[in-house]
Amino acid sequence: MKPAPKRQASKMQSLGDLLQNHDLDNSGKYISREFQDYGYRLALELDDLKRVSMYIKFAKTMPRSLLEQARSFVTDATNVKSKSRLFMWKLKQIKSKEKKI
């Protein structure tokens, strides 16, 4: 009968070593409200991190349905040079249509 293969001893790592292997995003920005998170994710999706505060303000002051309509229009579009410009154009169009009603 063959002897069972020996198990290799697992090497314990310190917590600091484990955390060094992970890329933690510590940009110094704090998000404490849902609308801030939504605005930040919208800016990421539109590749427009320069204007995060504008998208956060939109998320705070505008109805979410308008923002979602414009966002979905941009995500469905192909070959777009500037997602943020298309988003702003569509948002303006949706808002003017809402005023007429």
Side-chain angles (χ1 to χ4, degrees):
M1 191 169 190
K2 267 181 150 176
K6 290 185 178 182
R7 286 180 44 176
Q8 292 182 348
S10 63
K11 184 179 176 184
M12 295 289 285
Q13 291 181 335
S14 71
L15 183 58
D17 292 338
L18 288 173
L19 291 176
Q20 273 184 333
N21 295 337
H22 294 287
D23 184 27
L24 300 174
D25 181 39
N26 190 6
S27 60
K29 310 252 189 248
Y30 296 98
I31 295 176
S32 61
R33 310 250 186 235
E34 188 275 333
F35 68 88
Q36 293 171 330
D37 181 51
Y38 182 80
Y40 181 73
R41 286 186 287 119
L42 188 58
L44 281 176
E45 192 171 339
L46 298 174
D47 299 327
D48 194 12
L49 291 178
K50 292 179 190 174
R51 298 177 186 89
V52 172
S53 60
M54 179 182 71
Y55 295 110
I56 290 174
K57 184 176 180 180
F58 285 168
K60 183 177 182 179
T61 59
M62 290 186 180
R64 190 64 53 93
S65 62
L66 299 180
L67 298 173
E68 279 297 314
Q69 286 176 19
R71 186 193 65 79
S72 110
F73 180 81
V74 171
T75 56
D76 292 342
T78 57
N79 297 330
V80 178
K81 287 183 182 179
S82 175
K83 292 178 183 179
S84 60
R85 291 181 105 189
L86 184 62
F87 176 83
M88 295 302 289
W89 171 80
K90 188 61 177 179
L91 187 61
K92 182 179 176 182
Q93 189 181 46
I94 292 169
K95 283 174 55 177
S96 68
K97 190 183 286 187
E98 288 282 320
K99 282 185 180 180
K100 289 181 182 178
I101 295 176

